[in-house]
Short mmCIF file of all heavy atoms in Angstrom, two decimals:
data_model
loop_
_atom_site.label_atom_id
_atom_site.label_comp_id
_atom_site.label_asym_id
_atom_site.label_seq_id
_atom_site.Cartn_x
_atom_site.Cartn_y
_atom_site.Cartn_z
N MET A 1 73.27 -43.05 165.66
CA MET A 1 72.17 -42.12 165.34
C MET A 1 72.49 -41.42 164.02
O MET A 1 73.53 -40.83 163.86
CB MET A 1 72.07 -41.10 166.48
CG MET A 1 70.84 -40.24 166.41
SD MET A 1 69.32 -41.11 166.77
CE MET A 1 69.33 -41.09 168.56
N SER A 2 71.59 -41.51 163.06
CA SER A 2 71.89 -40.89 161.78
C SER A 2 71.48 -39.43 161.80
O SER A 2 70.47 -39.05 162.41
CB SER A 2 71.19 -41.64 160.64
OG SER A 2 69.80 -41.50 160.77
N ASP A 3 72.27 -38.63 161.17
CA ASP A 3 72.02 -37.20 161.09
C ASP A 3 71.21 -36.92 159.83
O ASP A 3 71.66 -37.22 158.73
CB ASP A 3 73.38 -36.49 161.04
CG ASP A 3 73.23 -34.98 161.05
OD1 ASP A 3 72.12 -34.49 160.76
OD2 ASP A 3 74.22 -34.30 161.34
N PRO A 4 70.01 -36.35 159.98
CA PRO A 4 69.19 -36.11 158.79
C PRO A 4 69.81 -35.13 157.81
O PRO A 4 69.40 -35.07 156.66
CB PRO A 4 67.87 -35.56 159.38
CG PRO A 4 68.19 -35.14 160.77
CD PRO A 4 69.37 -35.97 161.22
N ARG A 5 70.81 -34.41 158.27
CA ARG A 5 71.47 -33.48 157.34
C ARG A 5 72.53 -34.18 156.50
O ARG A 5 73.03 -33.61 155.54
CB ARG A 5 72.12 -32.34 158.12
CG ARG A 5 71.08 -31.44 158.79
CD ARG A 5 71.73 -30.54 159.80
NE ARG A 5 72.37 -31.35 160.84
CZ ARG A 5 73.04 -30.86 161.88
NH1 ARG A 5 73.17 -29.58 162.02
NH2 ARG A 5 73.58 -31.66 162.77
N GLN A 6 72.89 -35.41 156.90
CA GLN A 6 73.86 -36.16 156.09
C GLN A 6 73.22 -36.52 154.76
O GLN A 6 72.06 -36.89 154.71
CB GLN A 6 74.24 -37.46 156.79
CG GLN A 6 75.10 -37.28 158.01
CD GLN A 6 76.56 -37.11 157.66
OE1 GLN A 6 76.92 -37.12 156.50
NE2 GLN A 6 77.38 -36.94 158.66
N PRO A 7 73.96 -36.43 153.68
CA PRO A 7 73.40 -36.84 152.40
C PRO A 7 73.08 -38.33 152.42
O PRO A 7 73.83 -39.14 152.97
CB PRO A 7 74.48 -36.50 151.38
CG PRO A 7 75.73 -36.33 152.16
CD PRO A 7 75.33 -35.96 153.56
N LEU A 8 71.97 -38.65 151.83
CA LEU A 8 71.54 -40.04 151.73
C LEU A 8 72.16 -40.61 150.46
O LEU A 8 72.08 -39.99 149.41
CB LEU A 8 70.03 -40.04 151.62
CG LEU A 8 69.30 -41.36 151.64
CD1 LEU A 8 69.33 -41.93 153.04
CD2 LEU A 8 67.87 -41.12 151.21
N ARG A 9 72.76 -41.78 150.59
CA ARG A 9 73.34 -42.40 149.39
C ARG A 9 72.64 -43.73 149.17
O ARG A 9 72.48 -44.51 150.08
CB ARG A 9 74.85 -42.60 149.56
CG ARG A 9 75.51 -43.27 148.37
CD ARG A 9 77.01 -43.19 148.45
NE ARG A 9 77.50 -41.86 148.12
CZ ARG A 9 77.69 -41.43 146.87
NH1 ARG A 9 77.45 -42.21 145.86
NH2 ARG A 9 78.15 -40.23 146.65
N LEU A 10 72.27 -43.96 147.92
CA LEU A 10 71.55 -45.17 147.55
C LEU A 10 72.42 -46.08 146.70
O LEU A 10 73.30 -45.62 145.97
CB LEU A 10 70.30 -44.81 146.74
CG LEU A 10 69.23 -43.99 147.47
CD1 LEU A 10 68.32 -43.34 146.44
CD2 LEU A 10 68.44 -44.87 148.39
N SER A 11 72.12 -47.35 146.76
CA SER A 11 72.74 -48.28 145.83
C SER A 11 71.66 -49.19 145.27
O SER A 11 70.64 -49.42 145.90
CB SER A 11 73.84 -49.10 146.51
OG SER A 11 73.30 -49.86 147.55
N ALA A 12 71.89 -49.69 144.08
CA ALA A 12 70.93 -50.59 143.44
C ALA A 12 71.68 -51.77 142.84
O ALA A 12 72.72 -51.60 142.20
CB ALA A 12 70.15 -49.85 142.35
N ASP A 13 71.18 -52.96 143.10
CA ASP A 13 71.81 -54.19 142.60
C ASP A 13 70.91 -54.79 141.53
O ASP A 13 69.90 -55.43 141.82
CB ASP A 13 71.99 -55.15 143.77
CG ASP A 13 72.73 -56.42 143.37
OD1 ASP A 13 72.88 -56.66 142.15
OD2 ASP A 13 73.13 -57.17 144.27
N ARG A 14 71.29 -54.57 140.30
CA ARG A 14 70.45 -55.04 139.19
C ARG A 14 70.43 -56.56 139.08
O ARG A 14 69.55 -57.13 138.46
CB ARG A 14 70.90 -54.40 137.88
CG ARG A 14 70.51 -52.91 137.80
CD ARG A 14 71.18 -52.19 136.65
NE ARG A 14 70.93 -52.80 135.37
CZ ARG A 14 69.91 -52.48 134.55
NH1 ARG A 14 69.06 -51.55 134.91
NH2 ARG A 14 69.77 -53.08 133.39
N ASP A 15 71.40 -57.22 139.69
CA ASP A 15 71.40 -58.69 139.69
C ASP A 15 70.29 -59.24 140.57
O ASP A 15 69.81 -60.36 140.36
CB ASP A 15 72.74 -59.24 140.16
CG ASP A 15 73.84 -59.00 139.13
OD1 ASP A 15 73.51 -58.84 137.94
OD2 ASP A 15 75.01 -58.96 139.53
N ARG A 16 69.91 -58.48 141.59
CA ARG A 16 68.84 -58.93 142.50
C ARG A 16 67.48 -58.42 142.07
O ARG A 16 66.46 -58.96 142.49
CB ARG A 16 69.12 -58.44 143.92
CG ARG A 16 70.36 -59.06 144.52
CD ARG A 16 70.62 -58.55 145.90
NE ARG A 16 69.69 -59.11 146.87
CZ ARG A 16 69.85 -59.04 148.18
NH1 ARG A 16 70.90 -58.42 148.67
NH2 ARG A 16 68.97 -59.57 148.99
N CYS A 17 67.44 -57.35 141.32
CA CYS A 17 66.18 -56.72 140.96
C CYS A 17 65.28 -57.70 140.21
O CYS A 17 65.72 -58.41 139.31
CB CYS A 17 66.47 -55.50 140.08
SG CYS A 17 64.99 -54.71 139.43
N ALA A 18 64.01 -57.70 140.61
CA ALA A 18 63.03 -58.58 139.97
C ALA A 18 62.13 -57.81 139.00
O ALA A 18 61.21 -58.37 138.44
CB ALA A 18 62.17 -59.25 141.05
N GLY A 19 62.39 -56.53 138.85
CA GLY A 19 61.62 -55.74 137.90
C GLY A 19 60.20 -55.45 138.35
O GLY A 19 59.32 -55.19 137.54
N ALA A 20 59.97 -55.49 139.65
CA ALA A 20 58.62 -55.29 140.16
C ALA A 20 58.14 -53.85 139.99
O ALA A 20 56.95 -53.60 139.95
CB ALA A 20 58.55 -55.68 141.64
N GLY A 21 59.06 -52.93 139.94
CA GLY A 21 58.70 -51.55 139.64
C GLY A 21 58.21 -50.73 140.81
O GLY A 21 57.80 -49.59 140.64
N MET A 22 58.23 -51.30 142.01
CA MET A 22 57.76 -50.54 143.16
C MET A 22 58.60 -49.28 143.37
O MET A 22 58.07 -48.23 143.76
CB MET A 22 57.82 -51.40 144.43
CG MET A 22 56.76 -52.46 144.51
SD MET A 22 55.09 -51.83 144.36
CE MET A 22 54.99 -50.82 145.84
N CYS A 23 59.87 -49.38 143.12
CA CYS A 23 60.74 -48.23 143.36
C CYS A 23 60.40 -47.07 142.43
O CYS A 23 60.28 -45.93 142.86
CB CYS A 23 62.20 -48.63 143.21
SG CYS A 23 62.59 -49.38 141.62
N ALA A 24 60.21 -47.39 141.16
CA ALA A 24 59.92 -46.34 140.18
C ALA A 24 58.54 -45.73 140.41
O ALA A 24 58.31 -44.56 140.12
CB ALA A 24 60.05 -46.89 138.76
N LEU A 25 57.61 -46.54 140.93
CA LEU A 25 56.28 -46.02 141.24
C LEU A 25 56.32 -45.14 142.48
O LEU A 25 55.63 -44.13 142.56
CB LEU A 25 55.31 -47.18 141.50
CG LEU A 25 54.79 -47.92 140.28
CD1 LEU A 25 53.99 -49.14 140.73
CD2 LEU A 25 53.93 -47.02 139.43
N THR A 26 57.12 -45.55 143.45
CA THR A 26 57.14 -44.86 144.74
C THR A 26 58.00 -43.60 144.70
O THR A 26 57.64 -42.59 145.30
CB THR A 26 57.68 -45.81 145.83
OG1 THR A 26 56.90 -47.01 145.80
CG2 THR A 26 57.59 -45.19 147.21
N ALA A 27 59.11 -43.67 144.01
CA ALA A 27 60.03 -42.53 143.96
C ALA A 27 60.50 -42.34 142.51
O ALA A 27 61.66 -42.60 142.17
CB ALA A 27 61.22 -42.78 144.89
N PRO A 28 59.60 -41.86 141.65
CA PRO A 28 59.94 -41.75 140.23
C PRO A 28 61.04 -40.73 139.95
O PRO A 28 61.64 -40.75 138.86
CB PRO A 28 58.61 -41.34 139.57
CG PRO A 28 57.79 -40.75 140.67
CD PRO A 28 58.21 -41.46 141.93
N GLU A 29 61.30 -39.85 140.90
CA GLU A 29 62.38 -38.88 140.70
C GLU A 29 63.74 -39.52 140.94
O GLU A 29 64.75 -38.97 140.55
CB GLU A 29 62.22 -37.71 141.68
CG GLU A 29 60.87 -37.07 141.68
CD GLU A 29 60.64 -36.23 140.43
OE1 GLU A 29 61.62 -35.99 139.72
OE2 GLU A 29 59.50 -35.85 140.18
N VAL A 30 63.73 -40.65 141.60
CA VAL A 30 65.00 -41.26 142.02
C VAL A 30 65.28 -42.55 141.26
O VAL A 30 66.43 -42.85 140.92
CB VAL A 30 64.96 -41.54 143.54
CG1 VAL A 30 66.28 -42.14 144.02
CG2 VAL A 30 64.65 -40.26 144.32
N PHE A 31 64.22 -43.33 141.00
CA PHE A 31 64.39 -44.62 140.34
C PHE A 31 63.62 -44.67 139.03
O PHE A 31 62.55 -44.09 138.90
CB PHE A 31 63.87 -45.76 141.24
CG PHE A 31 64.52 -45.85 142.57
CD1 PHE A 31 63.89 -45.35 143.70
CD2 PHE A 31 65.78 -46.43 142.71
CE1 PHE A 31 64.49 -45.43 144.94
CE2 PHE A 31 66.39 -46.51 143.96
CZ PHE A 31 65.74 -46.01 145.07
N ASP A 32 64.17 -45.43 138.10
CA ASP A 32 63.47 -45.70 136.85
C ASP A 32 63.70 -47.18 136.54
O ASP A 32 64.44 -47.87 137.26
CB ASP A 32 64.02 -44.81 135.74
CG ASP A 32 63.06 -44.71 134.55
OD1 ASP A 32 61.99 -45.35 134.57
OD2 ASP A 32 63.40 -43.98 133.61
N GLN A 33 63.05 -47.65 135.49
CA GLN A 33 63.29 -49.02 135.03
C GLN A 33 63.72 -48.95 133.59
O GLN A 33 63.21 -48.12 132.82
CB GLN A 33 62.00 -49.84 135.13
CG GLN A 33 61.57 -50.13 136.54
CD GLN A 33 60.22 -50.82 136.56
OE1 GLN A 33 59.19 -50.16 136.56
NE2 GLN A 33 60.22 -52.14 136.55
N ASP A 34 64.64 -49.82 133.19
CA ASP A 34 65.06 -49.76 131.79
C ASP A 34 63.99 -50.37 130.90
O ASP A 34 63.17 -51.18 131.33
CB ASP A 34 66.45 -50.36 131.59
CG ASP A 34 66.48 -51.87 131.68
OD1 ASP A 34 65.58 -52.52 131.15
OD2 ASP A 34 67.43 -52.39 132.28
N ASP A 35 63.99 -49.92 129.67
CA ASP A 35 62.92 -50.30 128.74
C ASP A 35 63.00 -51.76 128.34
O ASP A 35 61.99 -52.37 128.00
CB ASP A 35 62.98 -49.43 127.48
CG ASP A 35 62.60 -47.99 127.78
OD1 ASP A 35 61.90 -47.77 128.77
OD2 ASP A 35 63.03 -47.10 127.03
N GLU A 36 64.19 -52.33 128.34
CA GLU A 36 64.34 -53.69 127.82
C GLU A 36 63.99 -54.76 128.86
O GLU A 36 63.17 -55.63 128.61
CB GLU A 36 65.77 -53.91 127.32
CG GLU A 36 65.96 -53.33 125.93
CD GLU A 36 67.32 -52.71 125.74
OE1 GLU A 36 68.29 -53.24 126.32
OE2 GLU A 36 67.43 -51.70 125.03
N GLU A 37 64.62 -54.68 130.01
CA GLU A 37 64.45 -55.75 131.00
C GLU A 37 63.56 -55.33 132.17
O GLU A 37 63.18 -56.17 132.98
CB GLU A 37 65.81 -56.18 131.54
CG GLU A 37 66.72 -56.73 130.45
CD GLU A 37 68.11 -56.99 130.99
OE1 GLU A 37 68.82 -56.02 131.29
OE2 GLU A 37 68.47 -58.16 131.11
N GLY A 38 63.27 -54.05 132.26
CA GLY A 38 62.47 -53.57 133.39
C GLY A 38 63.25 -53.53 134.69
O GLY A 38 62.66 -53.44 135.77
N LEU A 39 64.56 -53.60 134.60
CA LEU A 39 65.37 -53.59 135.82
C LEU A 39 65.62 -52.15 136.29
O LEU A 39 65.59 -51.21 135.50
CB LEU A 39 66.71 -54.30 135.59
CG LEU A 39 66.60 -55.77 135.20
CD1 LEU A 39 67.99 -56.37 135.01
CD2 LEU A 39 65.81 -56.56 136.23
N VAL A 40 65.87 -52.06 137.56
CA VAL A 40 66.00 -50.73 138.19
C VAL A 40 67.16 -49.94 137.57
O VAL A 40 68.22 -50.47 137.27
CB VAL A 40 66.16 -50.88 139.71
CG1 VAL A 40 67.44 -51.63 140.07
CG2 VAL A 40 66.12 -49.54 140.42
N VAL A 41 66.90 -48.66 137.41
CA VAL A 41 67.93 -47.69 137.02
C VAL A 41 67.95 -46.63 138.10
O VAL A 41 66.91 -46.03 138.40
CB VAL A 41 67.60 -47.04 135.66
CG1 VAL A 41 68.63 -45.97 135.31
CG2 VAL A 41 67.55 -48.10 134.56
N LEU A 42 69.10 -46.45 138.69
CA LEU A 42 69.24 -45.46 139.76
C LEU A 42 69.53 -44.11 139.11
O LEU A 42 70.61 -43.89 138.56
CB LEU A 42 70.37 -45.90 140.69
CG LEU A 42 70.57 -45.14 141.98
CD1 LEU A 42 69.29 -45.02 142.78
CD2 LEU A 42 71.66 -45.82 142.80
N LEU A 43 68.56 -43.22 139.15
CA LEU A 43 68.71 -41.91 138.50
C LEU A 43 69.56 -40.97 139.34
O LEU A 43 70.34 -40.18 138.81
CB LEU A 43 67.34 -41.28 138.26
CG LEU A 43 66.37 -42.05 137.37
CD1 LEU A 43 65.01 -41.36 137.35
CD2 LEU A 43 66.92 -42.18 135.96
N HIS A 44 69.36 -41.05 140.67
CA HIS A 44 70.06 -40.13 141.56
C HIS A 44 70.57 -40.88 142.78
O HIS A 44 69.83 -41.08 143.75
CB HIS A 44 69.12 -39.00 142.01
CG HIS A 44 68.66 -38.13 140.88
ND1 HIS A 44 69.50 -37.28 140.21
CD2 HIS A 44 67.45 -38.03 140.29
CE1 HIS A 44 68.82 -36.66 139.25
NE2 HIS A 44 67.58 -37.10 139.27
N PRO A 45 71.81 -41.33 142.76
CA PRO A 45 72.37 -42.05 143.92
C PRO A 45 72.33 -41.20 145.19
O PRO A 45 72.25 -41.76 146.28
CB PRO A 45 73.82 -42.33 143.50
CG PRO A 45 73.80 -42.29 142.01
CD PRO A 45 72.75 -41.28 141.64
N VAL A 46 72.40 -39.89 145.05
CA VAL A 46 72.28 -39.00 146.21
C VAL A 46 71.05 -38.12 145.95
O VAL A 46 71.14 -37.07 145.33
CB VAL A 46 73.55 -38.15 146.39
CG1 VAL A 46 73.41 -37.26 147.64
CG2 VAL A 46 74.78 -39.03 146.53
N PRO A 47 69.87 -38.58 146.40
CA PRO A 47 68.65 -37.86 146.08
C PRO A 47 68.57 -36.50 146.76
O PRO A 47 69.12 -36.30 147.85
CB PRO A 47 67.53 -38.78 146.57
CG PRO A 47 68.17 -39.70 147.53
CD PRO A 47 69.60 -39.82 147.15
N ALA A 48 67.87 -35.59 146.12
CA ALA A 48 67.63 -34.27 146.71
C ALA A 48 66.83 -34.44 147.99
O ALA A 48 66.07 -35.40 148.15
CB ALA A 48 66.86 -33.40 145.71
N PRO A 49 66.99 -33.51 148.93
CA PRO A 49 66.30 -33.63 150.22
C PRO A 49 64.80 -33.89 150.08
O PRO A 49 64.24 -34.69 150.84
CB PRO A 49 66.58 -32.29 150.89
CG PRO A 49 67.89 -31.85 150.32
CD PRO A 49 67.88 -32.32 148.89
N GLU A 50 64.17 -33.26 149.13
CA GLU A 50 62.72 -33.42 149.00
C GLU A 50 62.32 -34.79 148.46
O GLU A 50 61.15 -35.15 148.49
CB GLU A 50 62.12 -32.30 148.12
CG GLU A 50 62.61 -32.29 146.69
CD GLU A 50 63.83 -31.40 146.50
OE1 GLU A 50 64.65 -31.27 147.43
OE2 GLU A 50 63.96 -30.83 145.39
N HIS A 51 63.29 -35.56 147.99
CA HIS A 51 62.98 -36.90 147.47
C HIS A 51 63.46 -38.01 148.39
O HIS A 51 63.29 -39.19 148.09
CB HIS A 51 63.62 -37.08 146.08
CG HIS A 51 63.11 -36.10 145.08
ND1 HIS A 51 63.91 -35.56 144.09
CD2 HIS A 51 61.88 -35.55 144.92
CE1 HIS A 51 63.19 -34.72 143.38
NE2 HIS A 51 61.96 -34.69 143.85
N GLN A 52 64.07 -37.64 149.51
CA GLN A 52 64.65 -38.66 150.38
C GLN A 52 63.60 -39.53 151.05
O GLN A 52 63.78 -40.73 151.20
CB GLN A 52 65.54 -38.00 151.44
CG GLN A 52 66.82 -37.45 150.83
CD GLN A 52 67.78 -36.94 151.88
OE1 GLN A 52 67.52 -37.06 153.07
NE2 GLN A 52 68.87 -36.36 151.43
N ALA A 53 62.48 -38.93 151.45
CA ALA A 53 61.46 -39.73 152.13
C ALA A 53 60.91 -40.79 151.18
O ALA A 53 60.73 -41.96 151.57
CB ALA A 53 60.34 -38.81 152.63
N ALA A 54 60.65 -40.40 149.94
CA ALA A 54 60.13 -41.37 148.98
C ALA A 54 61.18 -42.44 148.68
O ALA A 54 60.86 -43.62 148.52
CB ALA A 54 59.72 -40.66 147.69
N ALA A 55 62.43 -42.04 148.62
CA ALA A 55 63.50 -43.00 148.35
C ALA A 55 63.60 -44.03 149.48
O ALA A 55 63.73 -45.23 149.24
CB ALA A 55 64.84 -42.28 148.18
N ARG A 56 63.49 -43.56 150.71
CA ARG A 56 63.52 -44.50 151.85
C ARG A 56 62.33 -45.45 151.80
O ARG A 56 62.46 -46.64 152.09
CB ARG A 56 63.45 -43.72 153.18
CG ARG A 56 64.71 -42.98 153.53
CD ARG A 56 64.50 -42.22 154.84
NE ARG A 56 65.56 -41.28 155.09
CZ ARG A 56 66.70 -41.61 155.68
NH1 ARG A 56 66.91 -42.84 156.06
NH2 ARG A 56 67.64 -40.70 155.89
N MET A 57 61.18 -44.94 151.44
CA MET A 57 60.00 -45.78 151.35
C MET A 57 60.20 -46.84 150.26
O MET A 57 59.85 -48.01 150.43
CB MET A 57 58.78 -44.91 151.04
CG MET A 57 57.47 -45.59 151.29
SD MET A 57 56.08 -44.51 150.90
CE MET A 57 56.41 -43.14 152.00
N ALA A 58 60.76 -46.43 149.15
CA ALA A 58 60.98 -47.37 148.05
C ALA A 58 61.92 -48.49 148.47
O ALA A 58 61.71 -49.66 148.12
CB ALA A 58 61.54 -46.64 146.83
N VAL A 59 62.94 -48.15 149.23
CA VAL A 59 63.87 -49.18 149.72
C VAL A 59 63.12 -50.20 150.57
O VAL A 59 63.31 -51.41 150.44
CB VAL A 59 65.02 -48.52 150.53
CG1 VAL A 59 65.82 -49.57 151.28
CG2 VAL A 59 65.93 -47.73 149.60
N GLY A 60 62.20 -49.70 151.40
CA GLY A 60 61.43 -50.60 152.25
C GLY A 60 60.44 -51.46 151.48
O GLY A 60 60.10 -52.55 151.91
N LEU A 61 59.99 -50.96 150.34
CA LEU A 61 58.96 -51.67 149.59
C LEU A 61 59.53 -52.66 148.57
O LEU A 61 58.80 -53.54 148.10
CB LEU A 61 58.08 -50.65 148.84
CG LEU A 61 57.15 -49.83 149.72
CD1 LEU A 61 56.50 -48.72 148.89
CD2 LEU A 61 56.07 -50.71 150.33
N CYS A 62 60.77 -52.51 148.21
CA CYS A 62 61.34 -53.38 147.18
C CYS A 62 61.26 -54.84 147.62
O CYS A 62 61.82 -55.21 148.65
CB CYS A 62 62.79 -53.00 146.91
SG CYS A 62 63.61 -54.15 145.78
N PRO A 63 60.56 -55.68 146.87
CA PRO A 63 60.38 -57.07 147.31
C PRO A 63 61.64 -57.92 147.15
O PRO A 63 61.72 -59.01 147.72
CB PRO A 63 59.26 -57.58 146.38
CG PRO A 63 59.37 -56.73 145.16
CD PRO A 63 59.85 -55.39 145.61
N ALA A 64 62.60 -57.42 146.42
CA ALA A 64 63.81 -58.20 146.15
C ALA A 64 65.01 -57.76 146.99
O ALA A 64 66.07 -58.36 146.91
CB ALA A 64 64.16 -58.11 144.66
N GLY A 65 64.83 -56.71 147.76
CA GLY A 65 65.96 -56.20 148.53
C GLY A 65 67.10 -55.72 147.63
O GLY A 65 68.27 -55.80 147.98
N ALA A 66 66.73 -55.20 146.48
CA ALA A 66 67.74 -54.84 145.48
C ALA A 66 68.24 -53.41 145.62
O ALA A 66 69.23 -53.05 145.01
CB ALA A 66 67.16 -55.03 144.07
N ILE A 67 67.55 -52.61 146.40
CA ILE A 67 68.00 -51.23 146.60
C ILE A 67 68.27 -51.03 148.08
O ILE A 67 67.62 -51.61 148.94
CB ILE A 67 66.99 -50.20 146.05
CG1 ILE A 67 65.56 -50.51 146.49
CG2 ILE A 67 67.07 -50.15 144.53
CD1 ILE A 67 64.52 -49.53 145.97
N ALA A 68 69.25 -50.22 148.37
CA ALA A 68 69.69 -50.07 149.75
C ALA A 68 70.13 -48.65 150.02
O ALA A 68 70.50 -47.91 149.10
CB ALA A 68 70.85 -51.03 150.03
N LEU A 69 70.07 -48.31 151.29
CA LEU A 69 70.59 -47.02 151.75
C LEU A 69 71.99 -47.22 152.28
O LEU A 69 72.22 -48.12 153.07
CB LEU A 69 69.73 -46.51 152.91
CG LEU A 69 68.30 -46.14 152.62
CD1 LEU A 69 67.60 -45.82 153.94
CD2 LEU A 69 68.27 -44.93 151.71
N ASP A 70 72.89 -46.40 151.83
CA ASP A 70 74.25 -46.44 152.35
C ASP A 70 74.50 -45.14 153.08
O ASP A 70 74.98 -44.19 152.48
CB ASP A 70 75.26 -46.59 151.21
CG ASP A 70 75.08 -47.89 150.47
OD1 ASP A 70 74.67 -48.86 151.10
OD2 ASP A 70 75.35 -47.91 149.26
N SER A 71 74.10 -45.08 154.33
CA SER A 71 74.39 -43.87 155.07
C SER A 71 75.82 -43.97 155.58
O SER A 71 76.34 -45.07 155.76
CB SER A 71 73.42 -43.69 156.23
OG SER A 71 73.77 -44.55 157.28
N PRO A 72 76.48 -42.85 155.79
CA PRO A 72 77.87 -42.89 156.27
C PRO A 72 78.00 -43.71 157.55
O PRO A 72 78.98 -44.41 157.75
CB PRO A 72 78.21 -41.42 156.49
CG PRO A 72 77.27 -40.67 155.62
CD PRO A 72 76.01 -41.50 155.57
N ASP A 73 76.99 -43.65 158.42
CA ASP A 73 77.04 -44.38 159.68
C ASP A 73 77.08 -45.89 159.48
O ASP A 73 77.73 -46.60 160.21
CB ASP A 73 75.79 -44.08 160.52
CG ASP A 73 75.75 -42.63 160.95
OD1 ASP A 73 76.75 -41.95 160.68
OD2 ASP A 73 74.75 -42.22 161.52
N SER A 74 76.34 -46.36 158.47
CA SER A 74 76.16 -47.80 158.33
C SER A 74 77.41 -48.49 157.80
O SER A 74 77.47 -49.70 157.75
CB SER A 74 74.98 -48.10 157.42
OG SER A 74 75.26 -47.70 156.10
N THR A 75 78.40 -47.73 157.37
CA THR A 75 79.62 -48.35 156.85
C THR A 75 80.59 -48.67 157.99
O THR A 75 81.59 -49.32 157.78
CB THR A 75 80.31 -47.45 155.82
OG1 THR A 75 80.60 -46.20 156.44
CG2 THR A 75 79.41 -47.23 154.61
N ALA A 76 80.29 -48.19 159.19
CA ALA A 76 81.20 -48.47 160.30
C ALA A 76 81.12 -49.96 160.68
O ALA A 76 80.05 -50.56 160.59
CB ALA A 76 80.80 -47.63 161.51
N PRO A 77 82.22 -50.56 161.08
CA PRO A 77 82.21 -51.98 161.41
C PRO A 77 81.41 -52.29 162.66
O PRO A 77 81.22 -51.44 163.49
CB PRO A 77 83.68 -52.34 161.63
CG PRO A 77 84.40 -51.05 161.81
CD PRO A 77 83.53 -49.96 161.21
S1 SF4 B 1 61.27 -52.35 143.53
FE1 SF4 B 1 63.14 -53.62 143.70
S2 SF4 B 1 62.72 -55.39 142.40
FE2 SF4 B 1 61.26 -53.79 141.84
S3 SF4 B 1 62.20 -52.67 140.12
FE3 SF4 B 1 62.74 -51.61 142.00
S4 SF4 B 1 64.73 -52.49 142.62
FE4 SF4 B 1 63.81 -53.88 141.15
#
């Protein structure tokens, strides 16, 4: 069970990113795209509480599976 008070940690894999831009559209405070390749730029690996819902939505919408949530719980074997 994840604790909503735990900080949310994000990761982005630019090798998988397809430059679709869903993340930057959905959570512009958290994600951006670089000007040259359009690949994801993670602005805030630990988003502020008010941006966490949008960040989670962006993870779900990414068509390439290039962004992920790393909650402390999910690292357990
Ligand atoms: S939504 Fe996914 S594929 Fe699109 S720019 Fe963001 S990380 Fe890249």
